[in-house]
Structures are given as structure tokens and as C-alpha cells.
Amino acid sequence: MTHPPTKIPVSVLIPAKNEEINLPACLSSVARADEVFLVDSQSTDRTCEIAENYGAKVVQFYFNHRWPKKKNWSLENLQFQNDWVLIVDCDERIPEELWDEISQAILNPNYNGYYLNRRVFFLGTWIRHGGKYPDWNLRLFKHGKGRYENLGTEEVPNTGDNEVHEHVVLKGQVGYLTTDMIHEDFRDIYQWIERHNRYSNWEARVYYNLIAGQDDSGTIGANFFGDAVQRKRFLKRMWVRLPFKPILRFIVFYIIQLGFLDGRAGYIYARLISQYEYQIGIKLYELRQFGGQLNVAVPSAAKQKSIHSSDS
């Protein structure tokens, strides 16, 4: 007689909205966790039904465009029955080998958290180059020790209610796990473009804040001699001031960082992120020149005077 494997004392947190396509594979991959929470944002598809069928605890989150967003709210308000929490997006999978490693890592008293490396698949191809790998994310940590940084973007419209590119600020020592987590979205290119349209709103405000010299206390900080995430933040401070960023983004990804080695998928990905950089740039221009509006209303008299002046 075989017995089911012992559950690992980790609470999984899955933020979701309308994820019925990705969710079954994600939930199957976290079956070894002792507890699974799905924090939903009023999905209109079968997301909640699927989660409940897999035994997940479903909680609704209502965003009021103030801090905190979904993940930090969850870390503050959910009654986790374990000290360790693992944050997994719906388009991510936790392989069995990684669970084996997690089961041992959480026994080490010297660490309060661990970085996981993501292996991103796009159009059926592992995007191994272009700076997409390694892709370290602090996802496993003691929930009482870590919170996501606030970059001052929660009031930006059309960015969603979830921390996507913010990073966890953790008290204590952090380690690195060796087995990759898998990022593989089963939706289509339309969804990728729609998602990055929202992300570019967020990025434009981050660029704006960096140019304005916003105080970065309470964030992971920017440090060239820090960890991989802090180095990226340091380089972004210089990046935001460069001209021709869409072209540069393509050159860096596809040529300098060898994105061409990933074949057609690498070329398409390079073109898309170049377009994404262009979207960030025009939204930043809109933000700086028009306060985030496409046009600025002017009094009718002034508008008529401008029209007459151009006709004369």
C-alpha cells in the first residue's frame, strides 16, 4: 500500500484574476505544499471553481488604488498556518526537484528567505539568452520577515492590483536555490501584449520617479555591488536617461546578450520588448508633458485664438 507524500510545511500564495487556462498546471505543481491560498480579484471565469476543486483556499481582494496591493495585503491579512510562504504566479510551475530542495532549505536556521531562478518559455522555446536567464526572484521566505517594496505606483491607472515588478525587502540572510521554477503562459500573444501594455504604465511611472530622484528608502535600493536585483536597479537609474532606448533594447537583447541564439522565438521576443520600451517612452513623455493625459484641456477662448493665429 502506497502512502501520499508528506506535505511540506509551506503556505503557497497565488495571486489571480481570470486564470482558468493556466491554473490547473500551476495548482498541480504545488500539490506538495501544506496549504495553498488563491487570492482572487473578482474573476469572471472558472478560476475560483478550479482552485476550490484543487483544495485551495480562495480569498477575494478588493483594490482601492491605495497601498498595499494584492501580495502585501495577503502577507498582512491571511492566517498562514506555516512560517514559510512561497509566492507563485498562475503561469509558473514548481517542479518536483525544486520541492525536494525547498523541503531541505526551510530547515536551515541561518536563512529567512531564498531566491528562485525562473526559466521563461515563450512560443515553445526556453528564452535562455537576452538577459532573461538567470532571472532571480525572492519568492520563498518567512512571511513575518518580508514585504514587497512600495515604489509609489499604486495610484497609476490601468496597472492592475498586483505587485509584478516590485521586489521583496527581507530582514535576515537570503540564500539561492539551484533548481529552476518554470514560467510558461498557456494564453496567447494577445494576452502578452495586453499585459505589457499595463506594465508599461507602471514602468513609465518608475522611470519618472527615478528621473525626479524620488527617495528609495523602503525599497531594495540600487547598488552596483549588491545582489543581482540591486545591480539591475542601479543600472536602470542610468538607463532611464539614455536616448534611443527602444533600439538599444533590441541591440542589447538580441545581439549583445545573444538573444539570436534562441531562434525565431528570440527574435520575436526582442522585437516585442523593443516595442514595450517604446510604449514606456511615450507614456513617460505623456506623463511629464501632459500629466498623464493624451491632451490637456484649454479654455475655449484660448483655443479659438490659437486657431485664428495659425490661419493668419
Side-chain angles (χ1 to χ4, degrees):
M1 179 178 179
T2 59
H3 297 280
T6 303
K7 294 287 187 177
I8 298 172
V10 169
S11 296
V12 171
L13 168 60
I14 304 174
K17 182 175 182 178
N18 294 332
E19 286 281 2
E20 65 179 6
I21 296 177
N22 283 316
L23 203 50
C26 176
L27 288 167
S28 295
S29 79
V30 299
R32 291 179 64 181
D34 177 56
E35 177 181 53
V36 178
F37 278 99
L38 183 132
V39 183
D40 183 60
S41 297
Q42 301 80 62
S43 290
T44 56
D45 64 2
R46 296 180 56 247
T47 290
C48 295
E49 176 189 345
I50 292 169
E52 290 169 349
N53 288 341
Y54 276 84
K57 302 175 183 179
V58 177
V59 178
Q60 290 296 327
F61 172 67
Y62 298 89
F63 187 44
N64 62 1
H65 298 282
R66 298 290 185 272
W67 194 256
K69 287 190 172 184
K70 186 185 292 186
K71 291 174 185 172
N72 262 10
W73 179 88
S74 301
L75 291 169
E76 290 285 351
N77 291 280
L78 298 184
Q79 298 299 311
F80 297 112
Q81 60 190 29
N82 302 290
D83 288 335
W84 287 88
V85 64
L86 174 65
I87 298 180
V88 183
D89 290 336
C90 293
D91 54 8
E92 295 173 338
R93 327 278 176 250
I94 307 299
E96 288 296 319
E97 296 82 359
L98 182 52
W99 276 118
D100 292 340
E101 193 174 355
I102 288 171
S103 67
Q104 297 302 310
I106 61 176
L107 300 178
N108 190 329
N110 297 321
Y111 294 97
N112 286 338
Y114 292 92
Y115 279 99
L116 276 63
N117 194 9
R118 288 199 314 175
R119 184 180 298 195
V120 176
F121 285 82
F122 179 76
L123 294 177
T125 301
W126 174 18
I127 304 299
R128 191 170 184 172
H129 304 90
K132 290 299 294 180
Y133 187 86
D135 181 20
W136 294 106
N137 291 262
L138 183 55
R139 297 293 194 86
L140 176 66
F141 56 94
K142 293 181 178 178
H143 64 81
K145 301 292 185 179
R147 291 294 182 270
Y148 280 83
E149 61 185 348
N150 183 358
L151 297 178
T153 62
E154 62 272 16
E155 295 184 11
V156 181
N158 302 314
T159 58
D161 63 358
N162 188 31
E163 300 91 338
V164 176
H165 296 116
E166 290 91 345
H167 295 282
V168 174
V169 179
L170 190 77
K171 299 176 183 176
Q173 192 169 352
V174 181
Y176 291 79
L177 301 185
T178 59
T179 308
D180 294 344
M181 68 188 303
I182 305 300
H183 181 284
E184 188 174 24
D185 195 339
F186 295 144
R187 295 171 298 179
D188 54 24
I189 290 290
Y190 171 88
Q191 294 291 341
W192 192 99
I193 294 173
E194 187 275 336
R195 187 166 67 251
H196 282 76
N197 186 28
R198 288 187 284 107
Y199 293 170
S200 61
N201 289 349
W202 183 91
E203 291 276 13
R205 178 54 65 91
V206 171
Y207 280 23
Y208 180 87
N209 291 344
L210 287 171
I211 291 171
Q214 183 186 54
D215 179 27
D216 65 358
S217 58
T219 74
I220 60 167
N223 183 359
F224 184 77
F225 299 102
D227 60 31
V229 178
Q230 289 173 317
R231 283 196 298 274
K232 282 186 178 180
R233 186 65 56 80
F234 177 85
L235 294 173
K236 180 172 279 190
R237 283 186 169 182
M238 296 185 292
W239 173 260
V240 298
R241 292 174 169 81
L242 294 177
F244 311 116
K245 285 190 288 294
I247 297 173
L248 288 175
R249 187 84 181 260
F250 180 86
I251 292 172
V252 170
F253 181 98
Y254 193 67
I255 300 174
I256 297 175
Q257 295 181 315
L258 308 180
F260 64 87
L261 293 177
D262 293 323
R264 180 179 289 272
Y267 175 75
I268 294 172
Y269 200 96
R271 289 292 301 270
L272 284 172
I273 64 167
S274 176
Q275 174 183 312
Y276 174 56
E277 192 68 51
Y278 182 72
Q279 289 179 326
I280 297 170
I282 58 177
K283 289 177 180 181
L284 176 61
Y285 177 78
E286 178 190 53
L287 190 62
R288 298 179 74 182
Q289 299 298 321
F290 300 97
Q293 299 172 244
L294 185 61
N295 294 294
V296 177
V298 297
S300 296
K303 185 177 294 185
Q304 289 297 323
K305 183 177 180 180
S306 174
I307 292 172
H308 291 317
S309 297
S310 63
D311 290 342
S312 60

